[in-house]
Amino acid sequence: MKRALITGITGQDGAYLSRLLLDKGYEVHGIVRRVALEDPEHRLWRIRSILKKVILHSGSLESYASLFDIVEKIKPDECYHLAAQSFVSYSFEDEFSTINTNINGTHFILSALKNKAPKCKFYFAASSEQFGKVRKTPQTEETPFHPRSPYGISKVAGYELTRNYREAYNIFACSGILFNHESPMRGYEFVTRKITNGAARIKAGLAKELQLGNLDAKRDWGFAGDYTEAMFLMLQQPEPDDYVIATGETHTVREFVELAFGHAGLDWKKYVKQDEALFRPAEVNILCGDYSKAQKKLHWKPKVNFKDLVRMMVEEDLKLVSPHS
Ligand code: NAP
Ligand code: GDD
């Protein structure tokens, strides 16, 4: 039985990936911050239904010792490094903790693998945020990086660490440069979930309006369930490599709002207010990925399109706010 270690198992992607690996017969281990272990009802909501099937270990990205001990104990065949401070807005508020946690966490886990499980295949959760002020559209694996946030900078560093461990120490290390991916398990701070949850609450009479920031930003939004399959496929290839994972379509935040409110039977213009305080000090205006390399080498392509993604998220949020849920 193959053994997988997932950092960030409690997050959106960890929840989809752990189910995928369990279905494939893996023994799935996850790293959880200690506080999360103490509050299973809330902090572990995304993996509640599989808690008895996964093995959780207490550890933190801030502690090399904790990661080293877990890697030494488990000796995984595959490691999916998903844990990070992943909210771009927050990274402007606390640059130091985002940069320290994200860069050191990736460095610690790579170093622990090099020392204790050098044959383990490694996946790094890189990001389209690395392209930042994009040099060309659509973005490919060859597009230069120009990050526009402390978060983006931390992901460029993680990407370069991953490449260097591959080249210097012969570790099977891959980066998935994933564009925005969403689902009903998306965190409430990200714009898609904020919109679908907001629309559902307004529909149910629980809220009167929704405050948003920049409606003109364009993102390439896909479905998290499709994207975690790509992570798995990267580690099944004969050689380690880096891949862009995207849909190839881009839409404005405004389009997402219009569609989501429309599904809820609401006219968004009556409820959505723009708040300057929610604009970012530096914005990534457009992201749109070219996933041809993944299609050719991994035989991967997205299955859920933009409209179906929005509908899926709105329907789930309407159910969650309904009095019978
Ligand atoms: P998420 O829902 O925010 O999950 C982040 C995970 O990291 C959570 O399990 C969180 O644990 C854990 N974590 C954060 N700080 C930690 C620390 N100091 N020690 C241990 N664990 C820590 O993120 P996601 O959407 O699943 O994304 C997964 C990864 O892909 C992230 O690295 C993200 O930056 C990257 N990424 C995401 C997207 C996207 O669109 N979703 C696109 C490109 C790249 P708690 O539950 O304890 O908070
Ligand atoms: N969060 C948020 N809240 N974003 C808003 C709001 C709001 O009220 N109003 C407008 N936006 C805009 C942001 O300015 C940004 O242009 C866009 O909506 C998307 O914001 P997020 O959903 O927070 O995602 P992100 O693109 O910054 O980052 C996500 O995708 C990255 C990949 O490109 C995160 O998942 C990152 O972890 C990931 O790496």
Side-chain angles (χ1 to χ4, degrees):
M1 184 185 264
K2 275 198 187 170
R3 214 171 292 146
L5 175 62
I6 304 177
T7 73
I9 194 169
T10 57
Q12 168 188 258
D13 292 3
Y16 280 97
L17 182 66
S18 47
R19 284 171 176 82
L20 177 90
L21 294 173
L22 286 171
D23 286 347
K24 292 190 181 292
Y26 278 65
E27 182 178 293
V28 176
H29 296 255
I31 298 181
V32 183
R33 289 192 257 194
R34 199 183 65 80
V35 58
L37 286 172
E38 289 162 359
D39 186 11
E41 269 312 295
H42 294 99
R43 301 282 309 278
L44 304 183
W45 63 275
R46 294 186 180 97
I47 54 169
R48 198 182 295 142
S49 66
I50 52 165
L51 269 182
K52 291 208 171 82
K53 297 182 188 159
V54 295
I55 303 154
L56 298 182
H57 305 265
S58 162
S60 165
L61 290 185
E62 285 95 29
S63 156
Y64 180 67
S66 73
L67 299 176
F68 185 91
D69 288 349
I70 294 166
V71 166
E72 183 174 42
K73 192 162 128 199
I74 301 170
K75 297 235 166 25
D77 299 296
E78 294 174 14
C79 174
Y80 296 86
H81 176 44
L82 310 182
Q85 193 302 95
S86 70
F87 189 32
V88 174
S89 269
Y90 182 72
S91 78
F92 287 106
E93 283 167 41
D94 192 351
E95 301 178 29
F96 295 96
S97 80
T98 301
I99 285 185
N100 282 337
T101 306
N102 290 2
I103 301 181
N104 288 341
T106 304
H107 199 180
F108 291 163
I109 198 110
L110 277 164
S111 170
L113 289 171
K114 172 167 85 83
N115 285 305
K116 289 294 158 191
K119 298 236 168 340
C120 176
K121 294 180 176 180
F122 176 78
Y123 172 86
F124 173 62
S127 165
S128 50
E129 191 64 22
Q130 293 166 211
F131 296 118
K133 191 174 177 189
V134 299
R135 307 274 176 91
K136 71 171 193 124
T137 296
Q139 295 84 47
T140 70
E141 293 79 4
E142 307 307 321
T143 306
F145 298 138
H146 184 140
R148 298 264 281 173
S149 63
Y151 169 83
I153 293 165
S154 78
K155 286 291 179 180
V156 171
Y159 171 91
E160 297 293 3
L161 278 164
T162 302
R163 183 190 49 69
N164 204 45
Y165 266 69
R166 179 167 73 220
E167 293 174 1
Y169 308 118
N170 216 16
I171 303 281
F172 190 110
C174 304
S175 285
I177 309 173
L178 270 50
F179 283 61
N180 299 49
H181 46 280
E182 320 294 315
S183 75
M185 290 211 257
R186 186 56 145 151
Y188 287 87
E189 66 273 42
F190 300 98
V191 79
T192 56
R193 190 71 195 273
K194 189 172 169 185
I195 295 166
T196 60
N197 174 56
R201 286 174 54 80
I202 291 168
K203 182 75 179 174
L206 298 172
K208 289 196 164 50
E209 61 175 41
L210 177 65
Q211 302 274 355
L212 291 174
N214 180 10
L215 300 180
D216 295 315
K218 289 181 152 181
R219 288 292 180 276
D220 177 335
W221 279 294
F223 172 54
D226 290 345
Y227 286 38
T228 46
E229 272 178 26
M231 296 176 185
F232 169 76
L233 290 171
M234 285 178 215
L235 298 200
Q236 313 314 311
Q237 301 310 304
E239 299 295 334
D241 207 343
D242 304 325
Y243 298 89
V244 158
I245 300 297
T247 71
E249 267 186 42
T250 189
H251 297 274
T252 59
V253 173
R254 185 178 286 100
E255 281 173 79
F256 195 108
V257 169
E258 195 171 349
L259 209 52
F261 275 68
H263 282 311
L266 300 168
D267 174 3
W268 71 276
K269 289 192 179 129
K270 290 189 186 151
Y271 303 101
V272 172
K273 309 274 179 270
Q274 265 193 301
D275 180 354
E276 291 282 324
L278 294 171
F279 280 61
R280 295 174 182 179
E283 178 63 282
V284 171
N285 294 320
I286 176 165
L287 290 174
C288 181
D290 174 349
Y291 65 92
S292 326
K293 179 176 173 185
Q295 186 165 27
K296 191 165 164 224
K297 299 220 166 147
L298 307 178
H299 306 293
W300 179 90
K301 61 177 185 184
K303 296 185 194 119
V304 177
N305 68 28
F306 179 66
K307 277 189 179 164
D308 291 341
L309 174 67
V310 178
R311 185 181 307 116
M312 178 201 306
M313 292 179 70
V314 173
E315 282 174 6
E316 286 302 314
D317 276 330
L318 285 170
K319 276 189 225 153
L320 278 179
V321 298
S322 101
H324 308 296
S325 71

